Amino acid sequence: MVTIKEVAKLAGCSVATVSRVINNNGYVKAQTKTQIERAIHELNYQPNEAARTLYKRKSKMIGLLLPDISNPFFTLIARGVEDIALAHGFQVLIGNSDNDVDKAKDYLSTFNAYNCVGVIATAFADDQIEKLLVSQGIHYVFVDRVKDEGNGISMNHFEGGQLQARLVLEGKPKNILILHLDLNIEAFKLRIDGIKQELNNYDVSYYDCSAETLKNKSAFISLVKDLHIDSIICSNDVLAIETMGLIQQFQLKVPEDIQIVGYDNIPFSAMTFPQIATIDQSAYFLGQQAVSILLKLNKNCVVNQQDNTLKLSTKRRGSIRFE
Amino acid sequence: MVTIKEVAKLAGCSVATVSRVINNNGYVKAQTKTQIERAIHELNYQPNEAARTLYKRKSKMIGLLLPDISNPFFTLIARGVEDIALAHGFQVLIGNSDNDVDKAKDYLSTFNAYNCVGVIATAFADDQIEKLLVSQGIHYVFVDRVKDEGNGISMNHFEGGQLQARLVLEGKPKNILILHLDLNIEAFKLRIDGIKQELNNYDVSYYDCSAETLKNKSAFISLVKDLHIDSIICSNDVLAIETMGLIQQFQLKVPEDIQIVGYDNIPFSAMTFPQIATIDQSAYFLGQQAVSILLKLNKNCVVNQQDNTLKLSTKRRGSIRFE
DNA sequence: CTGAAAGCGCTTACAG
DNA sequence: CTGAAAGCGCTTACAG
């Protein structure tokens, strides 16, 4: 490994001067600078980030903690984070929490041990995580912050649920099934609240059941038939796609017999037939935004509140019976 | 930030002794050890990885360079890498190359600057990348190594192509369309070679065209109709899903009118209706395997050749007209 | 079994 | 404009 010492030797100057040109700070005579640059190039020198980090007590890494990168919604966030981090010269250290608080804590400690500039994560129901972050003085941005307080990008899941409900309402539903994932995750819980509040304004029946039900395919289909379900609202697109595949497999037509609504607008939701109607959260943008906020926090800049709320948009697509 | 010095002070010993108990090497009296452990716990001390890295000239990070984590196939690899890395106490630094050699080089340099133990990447057509890695003495594992030489997990794309061809042959095809992604990527090229070699044994016609064609939907459908296409073989599952959605949108039946075969066996390929017949490459396992090999290389262990070839398996599913 | 000291490769006051 | 020196927080010979 080539070190700054060797560069200094070749350029005939001190390491301090080399450091000055690398970091482009302090005065350096033009000629000296040229010599140093030549030496750097000749030796193919690259500064050791560990040494820099040690001195500065901050690396140029961002810790990214997501529940599971396998879900395309989180993948999109990751990609957004990655791209904008790269543009600012930052690297991304990644972790999957699987919604496990202990795993999350471990990753957070590790990110800290590596002197990350900060952490981008999904909000946890359990506020231990946030306390840990605050107590350690780690900068953080929660990408799906629900409340107004604290740093993070807030997404209005309640409103998102209402939008989902309105989408199925266009298709004149009678019996609606709300198919949900883990309700300990506040986002899912809030969406259901929004759905129900909206549905209560109309003369429709609704039922809810856990996605676990899908595991027994025929039992699920029986349930759907017994309840005369004509519309299904899902916690996210992955679940919606899975549900639609299952329904079609049992010869039911989407949207004629049953309409389906998802959430997230992952790319695959637009590739199925019919396409899945959904609520867009602009995940990629969310990831990008999170990095911007984190970087601002790091410079002690004021974070503009209006940048911090993500707008939702409705994607009307073939899986619903709209006019 | 709590340092080893503070721990030593509280425990009433030297930093050397604290270091010994942290790293669990060298003799330490049981009583001293207990005191140190108590101090560590009390102060909630965690070693600074930057300092360790600087001394050891190696961090506990693995650089992972994939074309694009948005493709679920790569996401699965990433998840496999992540999980097994975590189990061994390693972290993952991630990068998306978008198949751009310059971007790849930049990431590789950065991974090196952070003193990563090694790099896991997809093989590049351009051998500059490998040369760079070798010249810098960086350990690496290519996860889709084609040839026998070099470190990496080899996948037989040619054979995979043959398997794809056999899958459509079960459905008595007459006119087959091979829909491919960038042929500069050797994996795709080899699969096509495999497909063609297999098809040549039978009395069928085949055509190939780039996935770009899909962009103009109606032009694509016209092409399909004009050529009387009854089977489509795609470079990967994402493309297969997209193609199937498009075909269905134009009232064509899968598999009755047109059968479709993908590649990768991403989770979504089993969620559509009909499910996409495909070739499984066990991406998650691939990621895990890559980490194992990298860690072995790092200990100068001999890497067992038989661990390095990934077996393919055929997934017969509803998108083909098998009996 | 333990500690003092050197050193990993940088950056930044400080002095000139 | 430039250099000598201190120091970031660790680990590991070395000496005892």
PDB file of all heavy atoms in Angstrom, chain D residues 4-16:
ATOM      1  P    DA D   4      10.729  18.638   8.344  1.00  0.00           P
ATOM      2  OP1  DA D   4      12.122  18.420   7.936  1.00  0.00           O
ATOM      3  OP2  DA D   4       9.678  17.683   7.946  1.00  0.00           O
ATOM      4  O5'  DA D   4      10.655  18.821   9.921  1.00  0.00           O
ATOM      5  C5'  DA D   4      10.700  20.128  10.502  1.00  0.00           C
ATOM      6  C4'  DA D   4      10.331  20.049  11.964  1.00  0.00           C
ATOM      7  O4'  DA D   4       8.935  20.411  12.108  1.00  0.00           O
ATOM      8  C3'  DA D   4      10.429  18.676  12.600  1.00  0.00           C
ATOM      9  O3'  DA D   4      10.557  18.881  13.993  1.00  0.00           O
ATOM     10  C2'  DA D   4       9.108  18.038  12.219  1.00  0.00           C
ATOM     11  C1'  DA D   4       8.165  19.225  12.375  1.00  0.00           C
ATOM     12  N9   DA D   4       7.029  19.246  11.461  1.00  0.00           N
ATOM     13  C8   DA D   4       6.917  18.722  10.191  1.00  0.00           C
ATOM     14  N7   DA D   4       5.748  18.931   9.626  1.00  0.00           N
ATOM     15  C5   DA D   4       5.059  19.656  10.593  1.00  0.00           C
ATOM     16  C6   DA D   4       3.764  20.202  10.608  1.00  0.00           C
ATOM     17  N6   DA D   4       2.910  20.091   9.600  1.00  0.00           N
ATOM     18  N1   DA D   4       3.396  20.857  11.714  1.00  0.00           N
ATOM     19  C2   DA D   4       4.256  20.970  12.732  1.00  0.00           C
ATOM     20  N3   DA D   4       5.506  20.514  12.832  1.00  0.00           N
ATOM     21  C4   DA D   4       5.833  19.850  11.713  1.00  0.00           C
ATOM     22  P    DA D   5      10.532  17.608  15.017  1.00  0.00           P
ATOM     23  OP1  DA D   5      11.414  17.999  16.130  1.00  0.00           O
ATOM     24  OP2  DA D   5      10.750  16.332  14.291  1.00  0.00           O
ATOM     25  O5'  DA D   5       9.020  17.663  15.518  1.00  0.00           O
ATOM     26  C5'  DA D   5       8.495  18.908  15.983  1.00  0.00           C
ATOM     27  C4'  DA D   5       7.137  18.667  16.632  1.00  0.00           C
ATOM     28  O4'  DA D   5       6.100  18.668  15.612  1.00  0.00           O
ATOM     29  C3'  DA D   5       7.019  17.328  17.342  1.00  0.00           C
ATOM     30  O3'  DA D   5       6.158  17.499  18.449  1.00  0.00           O
ATOM     31  C2'  DA D   5       6.369  16.430  16.298  1.00  0.00           C
ATOM     32  C1'  DA D   5       5.398  17.429  15.671  1.00  0.00           C
ATOM     33  N9   DA D   5       4.961  17.104  14.318  1.00  0.00           N
ATOM     34  C8   DA D   5       5.608  16.383  13.348  1.00  0.00           C
ATOM     35  N7   DA D   5       4.939  16.270  12.221  1.00  0.00           N
ATOM     36  C5   DA D   5       3.768  16.979  12.461  1.00  0.00           C
ATOM     37  C6   DA D   5       2.645  17.242  11.660  1.00  0.00           C
ATOM     38  N6   DA D   5       2.512  16.808  10.403  1.00  0.00           N
ATOM     39  N1   DA D   5       1.655  17.975  12.216  1.00  0.00           N
ATOM     40  C2   DA D   5       1.789  18.417  13.477  1.00  0.00           C
ATOM     41  N3   DA D   5       2.801  18.229  14.328  1.00  0.00           N
ATOM     42  C4   DA D   5       3.769  17.502  13.752  1.00  0.00           C
ATOM     43  P    DA D   6       6.104  16.429  19.617  1.00  0.00           P
ATOM     44  OP1  DA D   6       6.874  16.968  20.749  1.00  0.00           O
ATOM     45  OP2  DA D   6       6.419  15.100  19.069  1.00  0.00           O
ATOM     46  O5'  DA D   6       4.554  16.501  19.986  1.00  0.00           O
ATOM     47  C5'  DA D   6       3.859  17.742  19.815  1.00  0.00           C
ATOM     48  C4'  DA D   6       2.391  17.427  19.599  1.00  0.00           C
ATOM     49  O4'  DA D   6       2.151  17.128  18.202  1.00  0.00           O
ATOM     50  C3'  DA D   6       1.902  16.214  20.393  1.00  0.00           C
ATOM     51  O3'  DA D   6       0.632  16.514  20.932  1.00  0.00           O
ATOM     52  C2'  DA D   6       1.842  15.100  19.346  1.00  0.00           C
ATOM     53  C1'  DA D   6       1.463  15.896  18.102  1.00  0.00           C
ATOM     54  N9   DA D   6       1.833  15.291  16.827  1.00  0.00           N
ATOM     55  C8   DA D   6       2.952  14.566  16.512  1.00  0.00           C
ATOM     56  N7   DA D   6       2.999  14.166  15.250  1.00  0.00           N
ATOM     57  C5   DA D   6       1.837  14.671  14.711  1.00  0.00           C
ATOM     58  C6   DA D   6       1.290  14.601  13.412  1.00  0.00           C
ATOM     59  N6   DA D   6       1.873  13.993  12.396  1.00  0.00           N
ATOM     60  N1   DA D   6       0.103  15.208  13.202  1.00  0.00           N
ATOM     61  C2   DA D   6      -0.494  15.847  14.225  1.00  0.00           C
ATOM     62  N3   DA D   6      -0.082  15.980  15.484  1.00  0.00           N
ATOM     63  C4   DA D   6       1.104  15.362  15.660  1.00  0.00           C
ATOM     64  P    DG D   7      -0.004  15.547  22.036  1.00  0.00           P
ATOM     65  OP1  DG D   7      -0.590  16.408  23.072  1.00  0.00           O
ATOM     66  OP2  DG D   7       0.959  14.485  22.381  1.00  0.00           O
ATOM     67  O5'  DG D   7      -1.180  14.905  21.194  1.00  0.00           O
ATOM     68  C5'  DG D   7      -2.011  15.729  20.389  1.00  0.00           C
ATOM     69  C4'  DG D   7      -2.859  14.823  19.556  1.00  0.00           C
ATOM     70  O4'  DG D   7      -2.111  14.445  18.368  1.00  0.00           O
ATOM     71  C3'  DG D   7      -3.227  13.517  20.270  1.00  0.00           C
ATOM     72  O3'  DG D   7      -4.604  13.271  20.085  1.00  0.00           O
ATOM     73  C2'  DG D   7      -2.398  12.460  19.556  1.00  0.00           C
ATOM     74  C1'  DG D   7      -2.299  13.050  18.164  1.00  0.00           C
ATOM     75  N9   DG D   7      -1.193  12.564  17.367  1.00  0.00           N
ATOM     76  C8   DG D   7       0.063  12.184  17.764  1.00  0.00           C
ATOM     77  N7   DG D   7       0.816  11.766  16.787  1.00  0.00           N
ATOM     78  C5   DG D   7      -0.005  11.875  15.659  1.00  0.00           C
ATOM     79  C6   DG D   7       0.241  11.575  14.299  1.00  0.00           C
ATOM     80  O6   DG D   7       1.276  11.122  13.791  1.00  0.00           O
ATOM     81  N1   DG D   7      -0.863  11.829  13.494  1.00  0.00           N
ATOM     82  C2   DG D   7      -2.057  12.334  13.946  1.00  0.00           C
ATOM     83  N2   DG D   7      -3.011  12.528  13.046  1.00  0.00           N
ATOM     84  N3   DG D   7      -2.309  12.629  15.217  1.00  0.00           N
ATOM     85  C4   DG D   7      -1.244  12.376  16.007  1.00  0.00           C
ATOM     86  P    DC D   8      -5.380  12.320  21.096  1.00  0.00           P
ATOM     87  OP1  DC D   8      -5.973  13.153  22.149  1.00  0.00           O
ATOM     88  OP2  DC D   8      -4.525  11.183  21.458  1.00  0.00           O
ATOM     89  O5'  DC D   8      -6.548  11.770  20.195  1.00  0.00           O
ATOM     90  C5'  DC D   8      -7.213  12.541  19.224  1.00  0.00           C
ATOM     91  C4'  DC D   8      -7.627  11.647  18.087  1.00  0.00           C
ATOM     92  O4'  DC D   8      -6.546  11.568  17.148  1.00  0.00           O
ATOM     93  C3'  DC D   8      -7.870  10.207  18.519  1.00  0.00           C
ATOM     94  O3'  DC D   8      -9.250  10.056  18.867  1.00  0.00           O
ATOM     95  C2'  DC D   8      -7.504   9.399  17.280  1.00  0.00           C
ATOM     96  C1'  DC D   8      -6.579  10.328  16.471  1.00  0.00           C
ATOM     97  N1   DC D   8      -5.168   9.891  16.332  1.00  0.00           N
ATOM     98  C2   DC D   8      -4.612   9.775  15.062  1.00  0.00           C
ATOM     99  O2   DC D   8      -5.316  10.015  14.073  1.00  0.00           O
ATOM    100  N3   DC D   8      -3.311   9.400  14.937  1.00  0.00           N
ATOM    101  C4   DC D   8      -2.581   9.151  16.043  1.00  0.00           C
ATOM    102  N4   DC D   8      -1.307   8.798  15.855  1.00  0.00           N
ATOM    103  C5   DC D   8      -3.133   9.263  17.338  1.00  0.00           C
ATOM    104  C6   DC D   8      -4.413   9.629  17.446  1.00  0.00           C
ATOM    105  P    DG D   9      -9.635   9.480  20.320  1.00  0.00           P
ATOM    106  OP1  DG D   9     -11.070   9.763  20.493  1.00  0.00           O
ATOM    107  OP2  DG D   9      -8.657   9.920  21.331  1.00  0.00           O
ATOM    108  O5'  DG D   9      -9.457   7.915  20.139  1.00  0.00           O
ATOM    109  C5'  DG D   9     -10.209   7.255  19.125  1.00  0.00           C
ATOM    110  C4'  DG D   9      -9.688   5.851  18.996  1.00  0.00           C
ATOM    111  O4'  DG D   9      -8.332   5.893  18.487  1.00  0.00           O
ATOM    112  C3'  DG D   9      -9.616   5.066  20.304  1.00  0.00           C
ATOM    113  O3'  DG D   9     -10.151   3.784  20.047  1.00  0.00           O
ATOM    114  C2'  DG D   9      -8.127   5.001  20.610  1.00  0.00           C
ATOM    115  C1'  DG D   9      -7.537   4.982  19.212  1.00  0.00           C
ATOM    116  N9   DG D   9      -6.162   5.445  19.119  1.00  0.00           N
ATOM    117  C8   DG D   9      -5.536   6.403  19.892  1.00  0.00           C
ATOM    118  N7   DG D   9      -4.284   6.596  19.559  1.00  0.00           N
ATOM    119  C5   DG D   9      -4.071   5.725  18.499  1.00  0.00           C
ATOM    120  C6   DG D   9      -2.899   5.488  17.738  1.00  0.00           C
ATOM    121  O6   DG D   9      -1.792   6.019  17.838  1.00  0.00           O
ATOM    122  N1   DG D   9      -3.104   4.520  16.753  1.00  0.00           N
ATOM    123  C2   DG D   9      -4.296   3.864  16.543  1.00  0.00           C
ATOM    124  N2   DG D   9      -4.319   2.974  15.556  1.00  0.00           N
ATOM    125  N3   DG D   9      -5.406   4.070  17.255  1.00  0.00           N
ATOM    126  C4   DG D   9      -5.216   5.012  18.213  1.00  0.00           C
ATOM    127  P    DC D  10     -10.463   2.725  21.121  1.00  0.00           P
ATOM    128  OP1  DC D  10     -11.899   2.643  21.343  1.00  0.00           O
ATOM    129  OP2  DC D  10      -9.558   2.914  22.281  1.00  0.00           O
ATOM    130  O5'  DC D  10     -10.048   1.455  20.279  1.00  0.00           O
ATOM    131  C5'  DC D  10      -8.961   0.674  20.635  1.00  0.00           C
ATOM    132  C4'  DC D  10      -8.186   0.322  19.400  1.00  0.00           C
ATOM    133  O4'  DC D  10      -7.327   1.440  19.093  1.00  0.00           O
ATOM    134  C3'  DC D  10      -7.273  -0.865  19.620  1.00  0.00           C
ATOM    135  O3'  DC D  10      -7.928  -2.016  19.114  1.00  0.00           O
ATOM    136  C2'  DC D  10      -6.014  -0.533  18.851  1.00  0.00           C
ATOM    137  C1'  DC D  10      -6.058   0.963  18.655  1.00  0.00           C
ATOM    138  N1   DC D  10      -5.017   1.716  19.399  1.00  0.00           N
ATOM    139  C2   DC D  10      -3.714   1.707  18.909  1.00  0.00           C
ATOM    140  O2   DC D  10      -3.461   1.029  17.906  1.00  0.00           O
ATOM    141  N3   DC D  10      -2.764   2.426  19.560  1.00  0.00           N
ATOM    142  C4   DC D  10      -3.091   3.141  20.639  1.00  0.00           C
ATOM    143  N4   DC D  10      -2.118   3.855  21.230  1.00  0.00           N
ATOM    144  C5   DC D  10      -4.416   3.161  21.168  1.00  0.00           C
ATOM    145  C6   DC D  10      -5.340   2.442  20.528  1.00  0.00           C
ATOM    146  P    DT D  11      -7.509  -3.438  19.672  1.00  0.00           P
ATOM    147  OP1  DT D  11      -8.420  -4.414  19.071  1.00  0.00           O
ATOM    148  OP2  DT D  11      -7.351  -3.329  21.131  1.00  0.00           O
ATOM    149  O5'  DT D  11      -6.045  -3.628  19.063  1.00  0.00           O
ATOM    150  C5'  DT D  11      -5.879  -3.837  17.669  1.00  0.00           C
ATOM    151  C4'  DT D  11      -4.434  -4.183  17.413  1.00  0.00           C
ATOM    152  O4'  DT D  11      -3.594  -3.106  17.878  1.00  0.00           O
ATOM    153  C3'  DT D  11      -3.980  -5.438  18.145  1.00  0.00           C
ATOM    154  O3'  DT D  11      -3.224  -6.200  17.223  1.00  0.00           O
ATOM    155  C2'  DT D  11      -3.129  -4.922  19.298  1.00  0.00           C
ATOM    156  C1'  DT D  11      -2.589  -3.609  18.742  1.00  0.00           C
ATOM    157  N1   DT D  11      -2.313  -2.522  19.725  1.00  0.00           N
ATOM    158  C2   DT D  11      -1.093  -1.892  19.671  1.00  0.00           C
ATOM    159  O2   DT D  11      -0.217  -2.198  18.896  1.00  0.00           O
ATOM    160  N3   DT D  11      -0.929  -0.873  20.584  1.00  0.00           N
ATOM    161  C4   DT D  11      -1.844  -0.439  21.512  1.00  0.00           C
ATOM    162  O4   DT D  11      -1.579   0.496  22.268  1.00  0.00           O
ATOM    163  C5   DT D  11      -3.114  -1.144  21.519  1.00  0.00           C
ATOM    164  C7   DT D  11      -4.178  -0.747  22.504  1.00  0.00           C
ATOM    165  C6   DT D  11      -3.284  -2.134  20.645  1.00  0.00           C
ATOM    166  P    DT D  12      -2.937  -7.746  17.479  1.00  0.00           P
ATOM    167  OP1  DT D  12      -3.360  -8.474  16.282  1.00  0.00           O
ATOM    168  OP2  DT D  12      -3.418  -8.118  18.825  1.00  0.00           O
ATOM    169  O5'  DT D  12      -1.341  -7.743  17.528  1.00  0.00           O
ATOM    170  C5'  DT D  12      -0.620  -6.870  16.680  1.00  0.00           C
ATOM    171  C4'  DT D  12       0.758  -6.646  17.229  1.00  0.00           C
ATOM    172  O4'  DT D  12       0.740  -5.576  18.206  1.00  0.00           O
ATOM    173  C3'  DT D  12       1.352  -7.853  17.950  1.00  0.00           C
ATOM    174  O3'  DT D  12       2.713  -7.922  17.583  1.00  0.00           O
ATOM    175  C2'  DT D  12       1.212  -7.488  19.420  1.00  0.00           C
ATOM    176  C1'  DT D  12       1.462  -5.988  19.340  1.00  0.00           C
ATOM    177  N1   DT D  12       0.986  -5.168  20.473  1.00  0.00           N
ATOM    178  C2   DT D  12       1.737  -4.078  20.842  1.00  0.00           C
ATOM    179  O2   DT D  12       2.777  -3.780  20.291  1.00  0.00           O
ATOM    180  N3   DT D  12       1.223  -3.345  21.891  1.00  0.00           N
ATOM    181  C4   DT D  12       0.054  -3.596  22.573  1.00  0.00           C
ATOM    182  O4   DT D  12      -0.304  -2.866  23.488  1.00  0.00           O
ATOM    183  C5   DT D  12      -0.693  -4.755  22.133  1.00  0.00           C
ATOM    184  C7   DT D  12      -1.963  -5.123  22.829  1.00  0.00           C
ATOM    185  C6   DT D  12      -0.200  -5.472  21.125  1.00  0.00           C
ATOM    186  P    DA D  13       3.371  -9.317  17.191  1.00  0.00           P
ATOM    187  OP1  DA D  13       4.269  -9.031  16.042  1.00  0.00           O
ATOM    188  OP2  DA D  13       2.334 -10.331  17.124  1.00  0.00           O
ATOM    189  O5'  DA D  13       4.273  -9.628  18.432  1.00  0.00           O
ATOM    190  C5'  DA D  13       5.611  -9.877  18.242  1.00  0.00           C
ATOM    191  C4'  DA D  13       6.432  -8.607  18.221  1.00  0.00           C
ATOM    192  O4'  DA D  13       5.692  -7.492  18.778  1.00  0.00           O
ATOM    193  C3'  DA D  13       7.692  -8.749  19.061  1.00  0.00           C
ATOM    194  O3'  DA D  13       8.754  -8.029  18.493  1.00  0.00           O
ATOM    195  C2'  DA D  13       7.281  -8.165  20.406  1.00  0.00           C
ATOM    196  C1'  DA D  13       6.252  -7.113  20.019  1.00  0.00           C
ATOM    197  N9   DA D  13       5.150  -7.021  20.991  1.00  0.00           N
ATOM    198  C8   DA D  13       4.081  -7.861  21.139  1.00  0.00           C
ATOM    199  N7   DA D  13       3.247  -7.509  22.093  1.00  0.00           N
ATOM    200  C5   DA D  13       3.806  -6.341  22.599  1.00  0.00           C
ATOM    201  C6   DA D  13       3.412  -5.471  23.629  1.00  0.00           C
ATOM    202  N6   DA D  13       2.296  -5.648  24.344  1.00  0.00           N
ATOM    203  N1   DA D  13       4.197  -4.424  23.874  1.00  0.00           N
ATOM    204  C2   DA D  13       5.309  -4.250  23.139  1.00  0.00           C
ATOM    205  N3   DA D  13       5.779  -4.980  22.150  1.00  0.00           N
ATOM    206  C4   DA D  13       4.979  -6.030  21.928  1.00  0.00           C
ATOM    207  P    DC D  14      10.224  -8.511  18.975  1.00  0.00           P
ATOM    208  OP1  DC D  14      11.192  -7.893  18.034  1.00  0.00           O
ATOM    209  OP2  DC D  14      10.192  -9.971  19.188  1.00  0.00           O
ATOM    210  O5'  DC D  14      10.375  -7.817  20.404  1.00  0.00           O
ATOM    211  C5'  DC D  14      10.385  -6.387  20.502  1.00  0.00           C
ATOM    212  C4'  DC D  14      10.463  -6.009  21.960  1.00  0.00           C
ATOM    213  O4'  DC D  14       9.137  -6.053  22.541  1.00  0.00           O
ATOM    214  C3'  DC D  14      11.335  -6.954  22.805  1.00  0.00           C
ATOM    215  O3'  DC D  14      12.391  -6.198  23.380  1.00  0.00           O
ATOM    216  C2'  DC D  14      10.392  -7.528  23.850  1.00  0.00           C
ATOM    217  C1'  DC D  14       9.265  -6.501  23.875  1.00  0.00           C
ATOM    218  N1   DC D  14       7.946  -7.024  24.292  1.00  0.00           N
ATOM    219  C2   DC D  14       7.217  -6.308  25.258  1.00  0.00           C
ATOM    220  O2   DC D  14       7.686  -5.266  25.727  1.00  0.00           O
ATOM    221  N3   DC D  14       6.002  -6.791  25.654  1.00  0.00           N
ATOM    222  C4   DC D  14       5.515  -7.905  25.123  1.00  0.00           C
ATOM    223  N4   DC D  14       4.329  -8.330  25.536  1.00  0.00           N
ATOM    224  C5   DC D  14       6.240  -8.647  24.133  1.00  0.00           C
ATOM    225  C6   DC D  14       7.439  -8.174  23.749  1.00  0.00           C
ATOM    226  P    DA D  15      13.549  -6.983  24.181  1.00  0.00           P
ATOM    227  OP1  DA D  15      14.839  -6.381  23.761  1.00  0.00           O
ATOM    228  OP2  DA D  15      13.335  -8.447  24.118  1.00  0.00           O
ATOM    229  O5'  DA D  15      13.234  -6.493  25.659  1.00  0.00           O
ATOM    230  C5'  DA D  15      12.717  -5.177  25.873  1.00  0.00           C
ATOM    231  C4'  DA D  15      12.221  -5.086  27.291  1.00  0.00           C
ATOM    232  O4'  DA D  15      10.867  -5.585  27.359  1.00  0.00           O
ATOM    233  C3'  DA D  15      13.041  -5.901  28.299  1.00  0.00           C
ATOM    234  O3'  DA D  15      13.295  -5.088  29.437  1.00  0.00           O
ATOM    235  C2'  DA D  15      12.145  -7.089  28.629  1.00  0.00           C
ATOM    236  C1'  DA D  15      10.755  -6.483  28.452  1.00  0.00           C
ATOM    237  N9   DA D  15       9.701  -7.446  28.131  1.00  0.00           N
ATOM    238  C8   DA D  15       9.764  -8.489  27.241  1.00  0.00           C
ATOM    239  N7   DA D  15       8.643  -9.189  27.157  1.00  0.00           N
ATOM    240  C5   DA D  15       7.799  -8.552  28.057  1.00  0.00           C
ATOM    241  C6   DA D  15       6.477  -8.802  28.445  1.00  0.00           C
ATOM    242  N6   DA D  15       5.740  -9.797  27.940  1.00  0.00           N
ATOM    243  N1   DA D  15       5.915  -7.989  29.358  1.00  0.00           N
ATOM    244  C2   DA D  15       6.658  -6.996  29.862  1.00  0.00           C
ATOM    245  N3   DA D  15       7.917  -6.652  29.579  1.00  0.00           N
ATOM    246  C4   DA D  15       8.428  -7.486  28.657  1.00  0.00           C
ATOM    247  P    DG D  16      14.207  -5.620  30.606  1.00  0.00           P
ATOM    248  OP1  DG D  16      14.919  -4.426  31.126  1.00  0.00           O
ATOM    249  OP2  DG D  16      14.949  -6.823  30.159  1.00  0.00           O
ATOM    250  O5'  DG D  16      13.159  -6.072  31.707  1.00  0.00           O
ATOM    251  C5'  DG D  16      12.280  -5.078  32.258  1.00  0.00           C
ATOM    252  C4'  DG D  16      11.210  -5.799  33.003  1.00  0.00           C
ATOM    253  O4'  DG D  16      10.475  -6.633  32.096  1.00  0.00           O
ATOM    254  C3'  DG D  16      11.716  -6.739  34.108  1.00  0.00           C
ATOM    255  O3'  DG D  16      11.273  -6.268  35.362  1.00  0.00           O
ATOM    256  C2'  DG D  16      11.097  -8.076  33.781  1.00  0.00           C
ATOM    257  C1'  DG D  16       9.938  -7.687  32.881  1.00  0.00           C
ATOM    258  N9   DG D  16       9.453  -8.745  32.016  1.00  0.00           N
ATOM    259  C8   DG D  16      10.152  -9.440  31.064  1.00  0.00           C
ATOM    260  N7   DG D  16       9.433 -10.368  30.476  1.00  0.00           N
ATOM    261  C5   DG D  16       8.184 -10.279  31.094  1.00  0.00           C
ATOM    262  C6   DG D  16       6.994 -11.030  30.890  1.00  0.00           C
ATOM    263  O6   DG D  16       6.800 -11.945  30.095  1.00  0.00           O
ATOM    264  N1   DG D  16       5.971 -10.609  31.735  1.00  0.00           N
ATOM    265  C2   DG D  16       6.086  -9.593  32.655  1.00  0.00           C
ATOM    266  N2   DG D  16       4.992  -9.323  33.382  1.00  0.00           N
ATOM    267  N3   DG D  16       7.182  -8.880  32.853  1.00  0.00           N
ATOM    268  C4   DG D  16       8.187  -9.280  32.048  1.00  0.00           C
TER     269       DG D  16
END
